[in-house]
Amino acid sequence: MSASENQFSFTRVALKKEGASKCKFLPVTLSLILSCLVLSLAATATPTPPPEPFGPIPTERQLRWHEMEFYGFLHFTVNTFTDREWGNGDEDEKAFAPIAFDADQIVSAAKAAGMKGLILTAKHHDGFCLWPSQYTEHSVKNSLWQNGKGDVVKEISRACRRQGLKFGVYLSPWDRNHKDYARPEYITYYRNQLRELLTHYGDIFCVWFDGANGGDGFYGGAREKRTIDNRTYYDWDNTRRIVRELMPLAVMFSDAGPDTRWVGNERGIAGDPCWATLNAAGRYPGGDSKDLNSGNRPGTDWIPAECDVSIRPGWFYHAREDARVKTPAQLLDIYYQSVGRGACLNLNLPPDRRGRIHENDIQSLREFRRILDATFAHNLARGARLTASNVRGDAKQFAPGNVLDDKRDTYWATDDNVTAPNLILNLRQPVTFNVVSLREYLPLGQRIEAFALDSWQDGQWVEFAAGTSIGNHRLVRGGNLTTSKLRLRITRAPVCPALAELGLFAEPPRSPEQPPAPAARPGGAKQ
Ligand code: FUL
């Protein structure tokens, strides 16, 4: 069966004309009766039902998270001042001494980069708390910063709200400071802290559970190695219940979900394919990371990947890395290999010893954002004439035009028995692009397993790309291609596809890479 959006509008025009010509010759009453008949017939016609969902499907909280696509991490604690990546847990609270902390500067750097939220290390492995927790003395309240009256969690969460970003927390399960770590008492302490964070700082979009558990630590002066069984010690089920109860729309991140998963590396690179689904049974934070990069297909659970990576080599600020900030081109490559493979990108921006995002990081982020904005400003497919090999029930609701309306909640779908359809875009004139963007309609699950793209060259179709998973977003990026027609072929799907969006975009010409600005550190953060 062949149908197209244009055929639909053609049918509508033809009907209208027919009605008009009859009206000329028929008495008004008869024409009214006829119209009523047509209207009542239309009202009783059964609407085409949407496809049945396939496999695991996302929850409301996961759908909201998918929409964010790009957010940031803030790694900030005593390590920033002791020049370490992992503190021992015996750091003096007075070590935490930002000299010009500015939450709005930090959040606006993230916002200007296009981030939709920020996740702050409220407590890293060293156990130092960035908020004045009532359950420990090892926190900002015993630092000299703001005379011990400061609260980084409060300031960052408020600045996020002011600037329209979502806010999330990282609370390290491993605590090298706490005397009870590895004993049952520590679990109570950990949960009390989690409750504090989830009840004092407004909405939290993500609770980030790190799987790292190294062993050695200060542990209240014991200075020994403590090991725990990752599978049982934390009793995750009951900890997760607290989050669900206090912050039902927050996603929980860990190697094992339950809502979002680690992508299996700290380079920010998702697998290809990267399925949003995973077989979750038997997994636990800090457990086997095998399969996390690509997920499992078809998979028993919807647990999409988050790609975490730092803009610098380390997670915390080190002045020696001022000239090693990732370049805009490197950030773009990461973006295409994370967001462009259906994952979310969590890019770490480490505040420096002033308590601000360093100028070099801002410079790189600015150019990265400029290129992304210039790329995605115009969908070059807009206005194309679309022809699909099949449209579900020939219904307008599932028409191919839905893929060009810039809305994720409308989609092109086919009849149940059509699992390898194609969609032709007549672009009306030659168009040059180097990025193809595709999105599936997620509430119906991840349906497409493989696709191919053809361009029209010298009177025939020539394949220029092929891929596997699409999910929330697939960005196919290549060299410039000029064509007046494009064809998308769904080459493998266990059920009929439901495609929400399709776009063609062109990256602006590259400007030569600027070297990072000299390592200017107003306020003289000395190492
Ligand atoms: C890891 C931690 O050990 C690093 O310090 C950092 O926080 C990273 C995001 O997760 O597991």
Side-chain angles (χ1 to χ4, degrees), residues 36-67:
C36 286
L37 205 65
V38 169
L39 280 176
S40 62
L41 271 179
T44 50
T46 344
T48 309
E52 285 293 317
F54 172 76
I57 55 170
T59 58
E60 170 68 21
R61 65 177 81 84
Q62 288 171 319
L63 282 173
R64 288 175 184 224
W65 172 86
H66 274 297
E67 280 194 19

Side-chain angles (χ1 to χ4, degrees), residues 171-477:
L171 184 70
S172 172
W174 184 28
D175 189 320
R176 303 172 94 184
N177 172 266
H178 203 273
K179 65 179 178 34
D180 287 331
Y181 183 77
R183 302 188 185 118
E185 293 82 349
Y186 172 76
I187 302 303
T188 307
Y189 171 76
Y190 185 77
R191 289 180 182 160
N192 283 337
Q193 294 204 315
L194 193 56
R195 282 195 194 90
E196 279 186 319
L197 291 171
L198 296 176
T199 51
H200 288 65
Y201 299 100
D203 267 356
I204 304 281
F205 85 93
C206 173
V207 183
W208 213 95
F209 293 122
D210 199 319
N213 279 286
D216 282 343
F218 171 70
Y219 304 126
R223 295 187 191 279
E224 61 191 9
K225 182 169 181 160
R226 292 190 184 170
T227 48
I228 51 106
D229 182 344
N230 264 338
R231 278 165 306 184
T232 53
Y233 176 59
Y234 294 108
D235 179 21
W236 281 114
D237 284 349
N238 284 310
T239 302
R240 287 170 181 170
R241 246 173 235 140
I242 296 171
V243 181
R244 288 286 190 252
E245 182 199 318
L246 298 175
M247 204 57 70
L249 285 176
V251 290
M252 284 183 259
F253 166 99
S254 87
D255 300 352
D259 302 311
T260 61
R261 71 174 196 261
W262 186 41
V263 79
N265 64 63
E266 292 184 340
R267 291 175 290 111
I269 311 289
D272 185 4
C274 183
W275 306 109
T277 47
L278 191 72
N279 298 331
R283 293 181 189 269
Y284 52 90
D288 192 355
S289 60
K290 192 166 97 39
D291 291 352
L292 295 182
N293 198 234
S294 281
N296 301 117
R297 179 73 181 171
T300 52
D301 304 82
W302 188 276
I303 307 182
E306 180 208 85
C307 297
D308 64 328
V309 59
S310 184
I311 193 165
R312 290 161 172 251
W315 291 101
F316 288 92
Y317 175 81
H318 308 288
R320 62 177 178 274
E321 293 178 353
D322 280 349
R324 298 182 65 198
V325 174
K326 289 190 174 59
T327 62
Q330 288 172 317
L331 293 176
L332 282 170
D333 285 346
I334 290 171
Y335 184 88
Y336 280 97
Q337 293 175 87
S338 54
V339 173
R341 290 182 180 169
C344 276
L345 172 58
N346 177 5
L347 178 66
N348 179 59
L349 310 177
D352 62 15
R353 290 182 178 187
R354 292 168 302 172
R356 304 168 73 108
I357 302 301
H358 192 273
E359 290 68 12
N360 290 3
D361 305 45
I362 289 181
Q363 185 183 314
S364 187
L365 289 168
R366 193 176 290 140
E367 177 63 1
F368 160 73
R369 189 69 241 171
R370 187 195 69 76
I371 297 171
L372 279 184
D373 284 346
T375 305
F376 293 104
H378 303 292
N379 183 354
L380 301 165
R382 179 121 329 122
R385 204 148 25 105
L386 293 164
T387 315
S389 60
N390 177 278
V391 175
R392 188 173 186 79
D394 273 341
K396 176 98 174 52
Q397 187 192 349
F398 305 112
N402 290 333
V403 305
L404 291 183
D405 65 1
D406 223 6
K407 292 184 191 146
R408 295 188 195 192
D409 55 357
T410 63
Y411 54 96
W412 162 56
T414 58
D415 290 321
D416 284 340
N417 60 343
V418 179
T419 57
N422 63 50
L423 181 62
I424 294 174
L425 281 77
N426 184 337
L427 302 164
R428 299 170 196 264
Q429 60 185 4
V431 161
T432 302
F433 60 91
N434 77 318
V435 176
V436 181
S437 165
L438 299 164
R439 288 182 191 280
E440 283 186 84
Y441 178 66
L442 295 188
L444 294 180
Q446 193 157 13
R447 309 170 74 88
I448 298 170
E449 289 186 344
F451 65 93
L453 291 160
D454 308 321
S455 71
W456 188 251
Q457 306 291 342
D458 303 323
Q460 57 179 340
W461 290 115
V462 178
E463 181 176 307
F464 67 91
T468 51
S469 56
I470 296 179
N472 185 52
H473 208 169
R474 165 67 81 155
L475 293 169
V476 181
R477 186 194 196 196

Side-chain angles (χ1 to χ4, degrees), residues 73 75 85-86 124-125 170 208 210-212 266 308 315-316:
F73 237 158
H75 272 68
E85 278 291 303
W86 280 8
H124 202 250
H125 308 327
Y170 168 118
W208 213 95
D210 199 319
E266 292 184 340
D308 64 328
W315 291 101
F316 288 92

